[in-house]
Short mmCIF file of all heavy atoms in Angstrom, two decimals:
data_model
loop_
_atom_site.label_atom_id
_atom_site.label_comp_id
_atom_site.label_asym_id
_atom_site.label_seq_id
_atom_site.Cartn_x
_atom_site.Cartn_y
_atom_site.Cartn_z
N ASP M 1 -2.23 11.30 8.14
CA ASP M 1 -2.66 10.48 7.01
C ASP M 1 -1.74 10.69 5.82
O ASP M 1 -1.20 11.78 5.62
CB ASP M 1 -4.07 10.85 6.57
CG ASP M 1 -5.15 10.40 7.54
OD1 ASP M 1 -4.82 9.70 8.50
OD2 ASP M 1 -6.31 10.75 7.30
N ARG M 2 -1.58 9.66 5.04
CA ARG M 2 -0.95 9.76 3.73
C ARG M 2 -2.04 9.50 2.70
O ARG M 2 -2.94 8.69 2.92
CB ARG M 2 0.17 8.73 3.57
CG ARG M 2 1.37 9.01 4.45
CD ARG M 2 2.50 8.08 4.14
NE ARG M 2 2.37 6.87 4.93
CZ ARG M 2 3.32 5.97 5.07
NH1 ARG M 2 4.48 6.11 4.45
NH2 ARG M 2 3.14 4.90 5.81
N VAL M 3 -1.95 10.19 1.59
CA VAL M 3 -2.89 9.99 0.49
C VAL M 3 -2.11 9.51 -0.72
O VAL M 3 -1.09 10.11 -1.07
CB VAL M 3 -3.66 11.29 0.16
CG1 VAL M 3 -4.59 11.07 -1.02
CG2 VAL M 3 -4.43 11.78 1.37
N ALA M 4 -2.56 8.44 -1.33
CA ALA M 4 -1.88 7.88 -2.49
C ALA M 4 -2.81 7.97 -3.70
O ALA M 4 -4.02 7.71 -3.60
CB ALA M 4 -1.50 6.43 -2.25
N THR M 5 -2.24 8.34 -4.84
CA THR M 5 -2.96 8.40 -6.10
C THR M 5 -2.28 7.46 -7.08
O THR M 5 -1.05 7.45 -7.20
CB THR M 5 -2.93 9.84 -6.68
OG1 THR M 5 -3.47 10.74 -5.70
CG2 THR M 5 -3.74 9.94 -7.95
N VAL M 6 -3.08 6.66 -7.77
CA VAL M 6 -2.54 5.74 -8.76
C VAL M 6 -2.38 6.52 -10.07
O VAL M 6 -3.37 6.97 -10.65
CB VAL M 6 -3.47 4.52 -8.97
CG1 VAL M 6 -2.89 3.56 -9.98
CG2 VAL M 6 -3.72 3.81 -7.64
N LEU M 7 -1.14 6.69 -10.50
CA LEU M 7 -0.85 7.44 -11.72
C LEU M 7 -0.81 6.57 -12.96
O LEU M 7 -1.06 7.04 -14.07
CB LEU M 7 0.49 8.19 -11.57
CG LEU M 7 0.59 9.15 -10.39
CD1 LEU M 7 1.98 9.76 -10.33
CD2 LEU M 7 -0.48 10.22 -10.48
N LYS M 8 -0.49 5.28 -12.77
CA LYS M 8 -0.41 4.36 -13.90
C LYS M 8 -0.64 2.94 -13.41
O LYS M 8 -0.11 2.55 -12.37
CB LYS M 8 0.97 4.46 -14.55
CG LYS M 8 1.18 3.48 -15.71
CD LYS M 8 2.58 3.58 -16.27
CE LYS M 8 2.77 2.56 -17.40
NZ LYS M 8 4.14 2.60 -17.94
N GLY M 9 -1.43 2.17 -14.14
CA GLY M 9 -1.63 0.76 -13.82
C GLY M 9 -2.74 0.54 -12.82
O GLY M 9 -3.56 1.41 -12.54
N THR M 10 -2.77 -0.67 -12.28
CA THR M 10 -3.75 -1.06 -11.26
C THR M 10 -3.00 -1.50 -10.02
O THR M 10 -2.16 -2.38 -10.05
CB THR M 10 -4.65 -2.21 -11.76
OG1 THR M 10 -5.32 -1.80 -12.96
CG2 THR M 10 -5.70 -2.58 -10.72
N TRP M 11 -3.30 -0.84 -8.92
CA TRP M 11 -2.69 -1.08 -7.61
C TRP M 11 -3.71 -1.82 -6.78
O TRP M 11 -4.85 -1.38 -6.65
CB TRP M 11 -2.35 0.29 -7.01
CG TRP M 11 -1.76 0.36 -5.66
CD1 TRP M 11 -2.40 0.78 -4.52
CD2 TRP M 11 -0.41 0.09 -5.28
NE1 TRP M 11 -1.52 0.78 -3.47
CE2 TRP M 11 -0.29 0.36 -3.91
CE3 TRP M 11 0.71 -0.35 -5.98
CZ2 TRP M 11 0.90 0.21 -3.22
CZ3 TRP M 11 1.89 -0.51 -5.29
CH2 TRP M 11 1.97 -0.23 -3.94
N TYR M 12 -3.33 -2.93 -6.19
CA TYR M 12 -4.23 -3.71 -5.34
C TYR M 12 -3.87 -3.44 -3.89
O TYR M 12 -2.72 -3.62 -3.49
CB TYR M 12 -4.08 -5.20 -5.68
CG TYR M 12 -4.47 -5.51 -7.11
CD1 TYR M 12 -3.55 -5.41 -8.14
CD2 TYR M 12 -5.78 -5.86 -7.42
CE1 TYR M 12 -3.92 -5.67 -9.46
CE2 TYR M 12 -6.15 -6.11 -8.73
CZ TYR M 12 -5.22 -6.02 -9.74
OH TYR M 12 -5.58 -6.27 -11.04
N PHE M 13 -4.84 -2.98 -3.12
CA PHE M 13 -4.59 -2.47 -1.79
C PHE M 13 -5.62 -2.98 -0.81
O PHE M 13 -6.80 -3.10 -1.14
CB PHE M 13 -4.62 -0.93 -1.84
CG PHE M 13 -4.26 -0.27 -0.55
CD1 PHE M 13 -2.93 -0.04 -0.23
CD2 PHE M 13 -5.23 0.13 0.35
CE1 PHE M 13 -2.58 0.57 0.96
CE2 PHE M 13 -4.89 0.73 1.54
CZ PHE M 13 -3.56 0.96 1.85
N GLY M 14 -5.18 -3.28 0.41
CA GLY M 14 -6.11 -3.70 1.46
C GLY M 14 -5.60 -3.32 2.84
O GLY M 14 -4.42 -3.03 3.02
N TYR M 15 -6.50 -3.32 3.79
CA TYR M 15 -6.16 -3.02 5.18
C TYR M 15 -6.15 -4.30 6.01
O TYR M 15 -6.98 -5.18 5.80
CB TYR M 15 -7.17 -2.03 5.78
CG TYR M 15 -7.15 -0.67 5.14
CD1 TYR M 15 -8.13 -0.31 4.22
CD2 TYR M 15 -6.17 0.25 5.45
CE1 TYR M 15 -8.11 0.94 3.62
CE2 TYR M 15 -6.15 1.50 4.85
CZ TYR M 15 -7.13 1.84 3.95
OH TYR M 15 -7.11 3.07 3.36
N GLY M 16 -5.24 -4.38 6.95
CA GLY M 16 -5.14 -5.53 7.85
C GLY M 16 -3.69 -5.82 8.17
O GLY M 16 -2.79 -5.31 7.52
N ASP M 17 -3.47 -6.66 9.18
CA ASP M 17 -2.10 -6.94 9.59
C ASP M 17 -1.54 -8.21 8.98
O ASP M 17 -0.44 -8.63 9.31
CB ASP M 17 -1.98 -6.97 11.11
CG ASP M 17 -2.86 -8.02 11.76
OD1 ASP M 17 -3.53 -8.78 11.03
OD2 ASP M 17 -2.85 -8.09 13.00
N ARG M 18 -2.29 -8.83 8.06
CA ARG M 18 -1.83 -10.03 7.37
C ARG M 18 -2.27 -9.95 5.92
O ARG M 18 -3.41 -9.60 5.63
CB ARG M 18 -2.43 -11.27 8.04
CG ARG M 18 -1.99 -12.57 7.43
CD ARG M 18 -2.57 -13.73 8.20
NE ARG M 18 -2.11 -13.70 9.59
CZ ARG M 18 -1.15 -14.48 10.07
NH1 ARG M 18 -0.59 -15.37 9.29
NH2 ARG M 18 -0.78 -14.39 11.32
N PHE M 19 -1.35 -10.24 4.99
CA PHE M 19 -1.69 -10.19 3.57
C PHE M 19 -2.84 -11.15 3.30
O PHE M 19 -2.81 -12.31 3.67
CB PHE M 19 -0.48 -10.56 2.72
CG PHE M 19 -0.77 -10.50 1.24
CD1 PHE M 19 -0.70 -9.29 0.58
CD2 PHE M 19 -1.12 -11.63 0.55
CE1 PHE M 19 -0.99 -9.21 -0.77
CE2 PHE M 19 -1.40 -11.57 -0.81
CZ PHE M 19 -1.33 -10.36 -1.46
N ASP M 20 -3.89 -10.64 2.64
CA ASP M 20 -5.06 -11.43 2.28
C ASP M 20 -5.47 -11.02 0.88
O ASP M 20 -6.12 -9.99 0.69
CB ASP M 20 -6.18 -11.17 3.29
CG ASP M 20 -7.45 -11.92 2.95
OD1 ASP M 20 -7.47 -12.72 1.99
OD2 ASP M 20 -8.45 -11.70 3.66
N GLU M 21 -5.09 -11.82 -0.10
CA GLU M 21 -5.37 -11.47 -1.49
C GLU M 21 -6.86 -11.27 -1.75
O GLU M 21 -7.25 -10.42 -2.54
CB GLU M 21 -4.79 -12.52 -2.44
CG GLU M 21 -4.82 -12.08 -3.88
CD GLU M 21 -3.97 -12.94 -4.80
OE1 GLU M 21 -3.20 -13.77 -4.33
OE2 GLU M 21 -4.09 -12.73 -6.02
N ALA M 22 -7.72 -12.01 -1.05
CA ALA M 22 -9.17 -11.88 -1.24
C ALA M 22 -9.69 -10.52 -0.75
O ALA M 22 -10.74 -10.08 -1.19
CB ALA M 22 -9.89 -13.00 -0.50
N ALA M 23 -8.94 -9.85 0.11
CA ALA M 23 -9.37 -8.56 0.65
C ALA M 23 -8.86 -7.37 -0.17
O ALA M 23 -9.21 -6.22 0.13
CB ALA M 23 -8.89 -8.41 2.09
N LEU M 24 -8.04 -7.64 -1.19
CA LEU M 24 -7.49 -6.55 -1.99
C LEU M 24 -8.58 -5.86 -2.82
O LEU M 24 -9.47 -6.52 -3.36
CB LEU M 24 -6.41 -7.07 -2.93
CG LEU M 24 -5.12 -7.54 -2.27
CD1 LEU M 24 -4.25 -8.29 -3.27
CD2 LEU M 24 -4.36 -6.36 -1.69
N GLN M 25 -8.48 -4.55 -2.93
CA GLN M 25 -9.35 -3.76 -3.79
C GLN M 25 -8.51 -3.29 -4.98
O GLN M 25 -7.40 -2.79 -4.79
CB GLN M 25 -9.90 -2.55 -3.05
CG GLN M 25 -10.76 -2.91 -1.86
CD GLN M 25 -12.05 -3.57 -2.27
OE1 GLN M 25 -12.73 -3.12 -3.19
NE2 GLN M 25 -12.38 -4.66 -1.61
N ALA M 26 -9.01 -3.45 -6.19
CA ALA M 26 -8.31 -3.00 -7.39
C ALA M 26 -8.51 -1.50 -7.54
O ALA M 26 -9.65 -1.03 -7.65
CB ALA M 26 -8.82 -3.75 -8.61
N LEU M 27 -7.42 -0.76 -7.55
CA LEU M 27 -7.46 0.69 -7.73
C LEU M 27 -6.80 1.01 -9.06
O LEU M 27 -5.60 0.86 -9.22
CB LEU M 27 -6.74 1.38 -6.58
CG LEU M 27 -7.30 1.07 -5.18
CD1 LEU M 27 -6.38 1.62 -4.11
CD2 LEU M 27 -8.69 1.64 -5.04
N GLU M 28 -7.60 1.45 -10.01
CA GLU M 28 -7.09 1.73 -11.36
C GLU M 28 -6.55 3.14 -11.46
O GLU M 28 -6.72 3.96 -10.55
CB GLU M 28 -8.22 1.51 -12.37
CG GLU M 28 -8.70 0.05 -12.37
CD GLU M 28 -9.85 -0.19 -13.31
OE1 GLU M 28 -10.48 0.78 -13.79
OE2 GLU M 28 -10.14 -1.37 -13.57
N THR M 29 -5.89 3.44 -12.57
CA THR M 29 -5.33 4.76 -12.81
C THR M 29 -6.36 5.84 -12.47
O THR M 29 -7.52 5.75 -12.88
CB THR M 29 -4.88 4.90 -14.28
OG1 THR M 29 -3.90 3.89 -14.54
CG2 THR M 29 -4.31 6.27 -14.56
N GLY M 30 -5.94 6.82 -11.70
CA GLY M 30 -6.83 7.91 -11.29
C GLY M 30 -7.46 7.69 -9.92
O GLY M 30 -8.01 8.62 -9.34
N SER M 31 -7.39 6.47 -9.39
CA SER M 31 -7.95 6.18 -8.07
C SER M 31 -7.05 6.75 -6.98
O SER M 31 -5.87 6.99 -7.21
CB SER M 31 -8.07 4.68 -7.86
OG SER M 31 -8.92 4.08 -8.81
N PHE M 32 -7.61 6.91 -5.80
CA PHE M 32 -6.80 7.33 -4.66
C PHE M 32 -7.34 6.65 -3.40
O PHE M 32 -8.46 6.15 -3.38
CB PHE M 32 -6.78 8.85 -4.49
CG PHE M 32 -8.10 9.43 -4.10
CD1 PHE M 32 -8.42 9.63 -2.76
CD2 PHE M 32 -9.05 9.77 -5.06
CE1 PHE M 32 -9.65 10.16 -2.40
CE2 PHE M 32 -10.28 10.30 -4.71
CZ PHE M 32 -10.58 10.49 -3.38
N TYR M 33 -6.50 6.61 -2.37
CA TYR M 33 -6.89 6.04 -1.09
C TYR M 33 -6.09 6.73 0.01
O TYR M 33 -5.12 7.44 -0.28
CB TYR M 33 -6.67 4.52 -1.05
CG TYR M 33 -5.22 4.12 -1.14
CD1 TYR M 33 -4.46 3.89 0.01
CD2 TYR M 33 -4.59 3.98 -2.37
CE1 TYR M 33 -3.13 3.54 -0.07
CE2 TYR M 33 -3.25 3.62 -2.46
CZ TYR M 33 -2.53 3.42 -1.30
OH TYR M 33 -1.21 3.07 -1.39
N THR M 34 -6.48 6.52 1.25
CA THR M 34 -5.75 7.09 2.38
C THR M 34 -5.11 5.97 3.19
O THR M 34 -5.61 4.86 3.24
CB THR M 34 -6.65 7.92 3.30
OG1 THR M 34 -7.69 7.06 3.81
CG2 THR M 34 -7.27 9.09 2.55
N GLU M 35 -3.99 6.30 3.79
CA GLU M 35 -3.31 5.42 4.73
C GLU M 35 -3.35 6.13 6.08
O GLU M 35 -2.48 6.96 6.38
CB GLU M 35 -1.86 5.18 4.31
CG GLU M 35 -1.70 4.42 3.02
CD GLU M 35 -0.23 4.26 2.63
OE1 GLU M 35 0.68 4.66 3.39
OE2 GLU M 35 0.01 3.74 1.53
N PRO M 36 -4.36 5.86 6.90
CA PRO M 36 -4.40 6.49 8.23
C PRO M 36 -3.20 6.06 9.07
O PRO M 36 -2.68 4.96 8.90
CB PRO M 36 -5.70 5.95 8.84
CG PRO M 36 -6.49 5.41 7.69
CD PRO M 36 -5.49 4.96 6.67
N PRO M 37 -2.73 6.91 9.97
CA PRO M 37 -1.58 6.55 10.80
C PRO M 37 -1.88 5.32 11.66
O PRO M 37 -3.00 5.15 12.15
CB PRO M 37 -1.33 7.79 11.65
CG PRO M 37 -2.52 8.67 11.49
CD PRO M 37 -3.25 8.23 10.27
N ASN M 38 -0.88 4.48 11.80
CA ASN M 38 -0.95 3.31 12.68
C ASN M 38 -2.01 2.29 12.29
O ASN M 38 -2.52 1.57 13.14
CB ASN M 38 -1.13 3.75 14.14
CG ASN M 38 -0.03 4.67 14.59
OD1 ASN M 38 1.14 4.39 14.37
ND2 ASN M 38 -0.40 5.80 15.18
N VAL M 39 -2.37 2.24 11.01
CA VAL M 39 -3.30 1.24 10.50
C VAL M 39 -2.53 0.34 9.53
O VAL M 39 -2.00 0.83 8.52
CB VAL M 39 -4.51 1.89 9.79
CG1 VAL M 39 -5.40 0.84 9.16
CG2 VAL M 39 -5.31 2.74 10.78
N ALA M 40 -2.46 -0.94 9.83
CA ALA M 40 -1.72 -1.87 8.98
C ALA M 40 -2.42 -2.02 7.63
O ALA M 40 -3.65 -2.00 7.54
CB ALA M 40 -1.62 -3.23 9.66
N HIS M 41 -1.61 -2.15 6.58
CA HIS M 41 -2.15 -2.31 5.24
C HIS M 41 -1.16 -3.09 4.39
O HIS M 41 -0.03 -3.32 4.80
CB HIS M 41 -2.45 -0.95 4.60
CG HIS M 41 -1.29 -0.02 4.59
ND1 HIS M 41 -0.98 0.77 5.67
CD2 HIS M 41 -0.36 0.24 3.66
CE1 HIS M 41 0.09 1.49 5.40
NE2 HIS M 41 0.50 1.17 4.17
N PHE M 42 -1.63 -3.54 3.23
CA PHE M 42 -0.80 -4.34 2.34
C PHE M 42 -1.18 -4.03 0.91
O PHE M 42 -2.26 -3.48 0.65
CB PHE M 42 -0.95 -5.84 2.63
CG PHE M 42 -2.38 -6.30 2.74
CD1 PHE M 42 -3.07 -6.73 1.61
CD2 PHE M 42 -3.03 -6.30 3.96
CE1 PHE M 42 -4.39 -7.14 1.71
CE2 PHE M 42 -4.35 -6.72 4.06
CZ PHE M 42 -5.03 -7.14 2.92
N ALA M 43 -0.29 -4.35 -0.03
CA ALA M 43 -0.55 -4.04 -1.44
C ALA M 43 0.12 -5.08 -2.32
O ALA M 43 1.01 -5.83 -1.88
CB ALA M 43 -0.03 -2.65 -1.77
N MET M 44 -0.31 -5.10 -3.58
CA MET M 44 0.25 -6.02 -4.56
C MET M 44 0.11 -5.39 -5.95
O MET M 44 -0.80 -4.59 -6.19
CB MET M 44 -0.54 -7.34 -4.52
CG MET M 44 -0.05 -8.38 -5.50
SD MET M 44 -0.97 -9.94 -5.34
CE MET M 44 -2.43 -9.55 -6.31
N THR M 45 1.01 -5.73 -6.83
CA THR M 45 0.91 -5.31 -8.23
C THR M 45 0.97 -6.54 -9.13
O THR M 45 1.50 -7.57 -8.74
CB THR M 45 2.03 -4.35 -8.64
OG1 THR M 45 3.28 -5.02 -8.54
CG2 THR M 45 2.03 -3.09 -7.78
N LYS M 46 0.41 -6.39 -10.32
CA LYS M 46 0.46 -7.45 -11.34
C LYS M 46 1.08 -6.93 -12.63
O LYS M 46 1.17 -7.67 -13.59
CB LYS M 46 -0.94 -7.99 -11.62
CG LYS M 46 -1.60 -8.61 -10.40
CD LYS M 46 -2.99 -9.13 -10.73
CE LYS M 46 -3.68 -9.70 -9.52
NZ LYS M 46 -5.02 -10.20 -9.84
N GLU M 47 1.42 -5.65 -12.62
CA GLU M 47 1.97 -4.97 -13.79
C GLU M 47 2.77 -3.77 -13.28
O GLU M 47 2.80 -3.52 -12.07
CB GLU M 47 0.84 -4.49 -14.70
CG GLU M 47 -0.09 -3.50 -13.97
CD GLU M 47 -1.32 -3.12 -14.77
OE1 GLU M 47 -1.30 -3.20 -15.99
OE2 GLU M 47 -2.32 -2.75 -14.14
N GLU M 48 3.37 -3.03 -14.19
CA GLU M 48 4.04 -1.80 -13.78
C GLU M 48 3.01 -0.82 -13.24
O GLU M 48 1.97 -0.59 -13.88
CB GLU M 48 4.78 -1.17 -14.96
CG GLU M 48 5.49 0.10 -14.56
CD GLU M 48 6.24 0.75 -15.70
OE1 GLU M 48 5.60 1.05 -16.73
OE2 GLU M 48 7.44 0.97 -15.55
N VAL M 49 3.28 -0.29 -12.07
CA VAL M 49 2.38 0.65 -11.41
C VAL M 49 3.19 1.83 -10.91
O VAL M 49 4.28 1.65 -10.37
CB VAL M 49 1.64 -0.02 -10.23
CG1 VAL M 49 0.79 0.97 -9.46
CG2 VAL M 49 0.78 -1.18 -10.71
N ILE M 50 2.64 3.01 -11.07
CA ILE M 50 3.24 4.22 -10.50
C ILE M 50 2.22 4.84 -9.57
O ILE M 50 1.07 5.09 -9.99
CB ILE M 50 3.65 5.22 -11.60
CG1 ILE M 50 4.69 4.59 -12.54
CG2 ILE M 50 4.19 6.51 -10.97
CD1 ILE M 50 5.04 5.45 -13.74
N ILE M 51 2.62 5.06 -8.31
CA ILE M 51 1.74 5.74 -7.36
C ILE M 51 2.48 6.95 -6.81
O ILE M 51 3.71 7.00 -6.79
CB ILE M 51 1.28 4.83 -6.22
CG1 ILE M 51 2.47 4.31 -5.41
CG2 ILE M 51 0.44 3.69 -6.72
CD1 ILE M 51 2.06 3.62 -4.12
N GLN M 52 1.70 7.92 -6.40
CA GLN M 52 2.25 9.12 -5.75
C GLN M 52 1.66 9.15 -4.35
O GLN M 52 0.43 9.09 -4.19
CB GLN M 52 1.86 10.37 -6.50
CG GLN M 52 2.33 11.65 -5.85
CD GLN M 52 1.85 12.88 -6.59
OE1 GLN M 52 0.74 12.91 -7.11
NE2 GLN M 52 2.69 13.87 -6.67
N ILE M 53 2.53 9.22 -3.34
CA ILE M 53 2.07 9.26 -1.96
C ILE M 53 2.48 10.60 -1.36
O ILE M 53 3.65 10.99 -1.43
CB ILE M 53 2.66 8.11 -1.14
CG1 ILE M 53 2.22 6.76 -1.74
CG2 ILE M 53 2.22 8.20 0.33
CD1 ILE M 53 2.82 5.55 -1.07
N VAL M 54 1.52 11.29 -0.77
CA VAL M 54 1.79 12.59 -0.14
C VAL M 54 1.20 12.58 1.27
O VAL M 54 0.28 11.84 1.57
CB VAL M 54 1.20 13.77 -0.95
CG1 VAL M 54 1.84 13.86 -2.32
CG2 VAL M 54 -0.29 13.65 -1.08
N GLY M 55 1.76 13.41 2.12
CA GLY M 55 1.26 13.53 3.48
C GLY M 55 2.07 14.56 4.23
O GLY M 55 3.00 15.16 3.69
N THR M 56 1.69 14.78 5.46
CA THR M 56 2.40 15.70 6.33
C THR M 56 3.18 14.88 7.33
O THR M 56 2.60 14.02 8.01
CB THR M 56 1.41 16.64 7.04
OG1 THR M 56 0.64 17.32 6.05
CG2 THR M 56 2.12 17.63 7.92
N GLY M 57 4.49 15.11 7.41
CA GLY M 57 5.37 14.30 8.24
C GLY M 57 5.30 14.64 9.71
O GLY M 57 4.54 15.50 10.11
N PRO M 58 6.06 13.95 10.51
CA PRO M 58 6.98 12.92 10.06
C PRO M 58 6.24 11.67 9.62
O PRO M 58 5.09 11.45 9.99
CB PRO M 58 7.84 12.64 11.30
CG PRO M 58 6.96 12.98 12.45
CD PRO M 58 6.07 14.11 11.96
N SER M 59 6.92 10.85 8.85
CA SER M 59 6.32 9.64 8.31
C SER M 59 7.35 8.52 8.36
O SER M 59 8.55 8.74 8.24
CB SER M 59 5.88 9.88 6.86
OG SER M 59 5.28 8.73 6.33
N SER M 60 6.86 7.31 8.54
CA SER M 60 7.75 6.16 8.57
C SER M 60 6.96 4.92 8.18
O SER M 60 5.75 4.95 8.07
CB SER M 60 8.38 5.97 9.94
OG SER M 60 7.38 5.65 10.88
N THR M 61 7.67 3.82 8.00
CA THR M 61 7.04 2.54 7.70
C THR M 61 7.50 1.54 8.74
O THR M 61 8.70 1.37 8.97
CB THR M 61 7.43 2.04 6.30
OG1 THR M 61 6.97 2.99 5.34
CG2 THR M 61 6.81 0.69 6.01
N THR M 62 6.55 0.88 9.38
CA THR M 62 6.83 -0.16 10.35
C THR M 62 6.19 -1.44 9.85
O THR M 62 4.98 -1.47 9.61
CB THR M 62 6.26 0.19 11.74
OG1 THR M 62 6.80 1.46 12.15
CG2 THR M 62 6.59 -0.88 12.76
N TYR M 63 6.99 -2.49 9.67
CA TYR M 63 6.48 -3.76 9.16
C TYR M 63 5.86 -4.56 10.30
O TYR M 63 6.46 -4.68 11.38
CB TYR M 63 7.60 -4.54 8.48
CG TYR M 63 7.95 -3.96 7.14
CD1 TYR M 63 8.78 -2.86 7.03
CD2 TYR M 63 7.40 -4.47 5.97
CE1 TYR M 63 9.09 -2.29 5.80
CE2 TYR M 63 7.70 -3.92 4.74
CZ TYR M 63 8.54 -2.84 4.66
OH TYR M 63 8.82 -2.28 3.44
N VAL M 64 4.67 -5.12 10.08
CA VAL M 64 4.03 -5.97 11.08
C VAL M 64 4.95 -7.15 11.38
O VAL M 64 5.17 -7.50 12.53
CB VAL M 64 2.64 -6.45 10.60
CG1 VAL M 64 2.06 -7.47 11.54
CG2 VAL M 64 1.69 -5.27 10.41
N ASP M 65 5.50 -7.75 10.32
CA ASP M 65 6.48 -8.82 10.46
C ASP M 65 7.83 -8.27 10.00
O ASP M 65 8.04 -8.07 8.81
CB ASP M 65 6.09 -10.03 9.61
CG ASP M 65 7.06 -11.19 9.73
OD1 ASP M 65 8.16 -11.02 10.32
OD2 ASP M 65 6.73 -12.27 9.23
N PRO M 66 8.75 -8.01 10.92
CA PRO M 66 10.04 -7.42 10.54
C PRO M 66 10.78 -8.23 9.48
O PRO M 66 11.61 -7.68 8.75
CB PRO M 66 10.82 -7.39 11.85
CG PRO M 66 9.77 -7.37 12.92
CD PRO M 66 8.63 -8.19 12.37
N ALA M 67 10.49 -9.51 9.34
CA ALA M 67 11.16 -10.32 8.32
C ALA M 67 10.80 -9.87 6.91
O ALA M 67 11.52 -10.18 5.95
CB ALA M 67 10.77 -11.79 8.50
N ASN M 68 9.71 -9.14 6.75
CA ASN M 68 9.29 -8.63 5.44
C ASN M 68 9.93 -7.30 5.07
O ASN M 68 9.74 -6.80 3.97
CB ASN M 68 7.77 -8.49 5.37
CG ASN M 68 7.08 -9.83 5.39
OD1 ASN M 68 7.59 -10.81 4.85
ND2 ASN M 68 5.93 -9.88 6.02
N ASP M 69 10.67 -6.71 5.99
CA ASP M 69 11.31 -5.41 5.74
C ASP M 69 12.50 -5.59 4.79
O ASP M 69 13.48 -6.23 5.16
CB ASP M 69 11.78 -4.84 7.07
CG ASP M 69 12.39 -3.45 6.95
OD1 ASP M 69 12.71 -3.02 5.82
OD2 ASP M 69 12.57 -2.81 8.01
N PRO M 70 12.41 -5.05 3.57
CA PRO M 70 13.51 -5.23 2.62
C PRO M 70 14.81 -4.60 3.08
O PRO M 70 15.89 -4.99 2.62
CB PRO M 70 13.00 -4.59 1.33
CG PRO M 70 11.91 -3.67 1.76
CD PRO M 70 11.34 -4.25 3.03
N GLY M 71 14.76 -3.66 3.99
CA GLY M 71 15.97 -3.03 4.51
C GLY M 71 16.75 -3.92 5.48
O GLY M 71 17.88 -3.63 5.80
N ARG M 72 16.16 -4.98 5.92
CA ARG M 72 16.81 -5.89 6.87
C ARG M 72 17.45 -7.09 6.20
O ARG M 72 17.95 -7.97 6.87
CB ARG M 72 15.80 -6.37 7.90
CG ARG M 72 15.24 -5.22 8.73
CD ARG M 72 14.36 -5.73 9.81
NE ARG M 72 15.17 -6.60 10.67
CZ ARG M 72 14.88 -6.90 11.92
NH1 ARG M 72 13.81 -6.41 12.45
NH2 ARG M 72 15.66 -7.68 12.63
N ARG M 73 17.38 -7.17 4.88
CA ARG M 73 17.92 -8.34 4.18
C ARG M 73 19.33 -8.14 3.80
O ARG M 73 19.90 -7.17 3.67
CB ARG M 73 17.08 -8.61 2.92
CG ARG M 73 15.69 -9.03 3.32
CD ARG M 73 14.85 -9.36 2.12
NE ARG M 73 13.50 -9.61 2.61
CZ ARG M 73 12.45 -9.58 1.86
NH1 ARG M 73 12.54 -9.35 0.59
NH2 ARG M 73 11.28 -9.82 2.35
#
């Protein structure tokens, strides 16, 4: 698992393999959430946001749709 803490701003986060703005939960400064391994999730910001993500490795990111991977552009 990875654990993320919102240090500044509001982070909008949801679980699923397709972005769904209606499913986003607003996480304000001081909030935290977990990213279980192999569970698809998505996020959005509307302002400057700082998050801290910690976990025990190894860790990686796999995009459900490889076309969304910024490293492939």
Side-chain angles (χ1 to χ4, degrees):
D1 288 354
R2 291 187 272 193
V3 178
T5 304
V6 181
L7 302 177
K8 177 182 178 182
T10 302
W11 177 253
Y12 298 87
F13 185 84
Y15 295 102
D17 60 3
R18 182 177 299 258
F19 181 83
D20 177 4
E21 191 166 350
L24 291 169
Q25 298 292 314
L27 301 171
E28 298 177 346
T29 300
S31 299
F32 68 93
Y33 65 94
T34 60
E35 294 178 5
N38 303 312
V39 175
H41 54 276
F42 48 89
M44 180 177 82
T45 63
K46 298 180 182 180
E47 60 187 335
E48 180 179 57
V49 175
I50 299 173
I51 61 169
Q52 177 183 38
I53 300 176
V54 297
T56 303
S59 181
S60 65
T61 299
T62 303
Y63 286 81
V64 173
D65 181 350
N68 291 326
D69 183 346
R72 297 186 61 158
R73 294 183 185 161

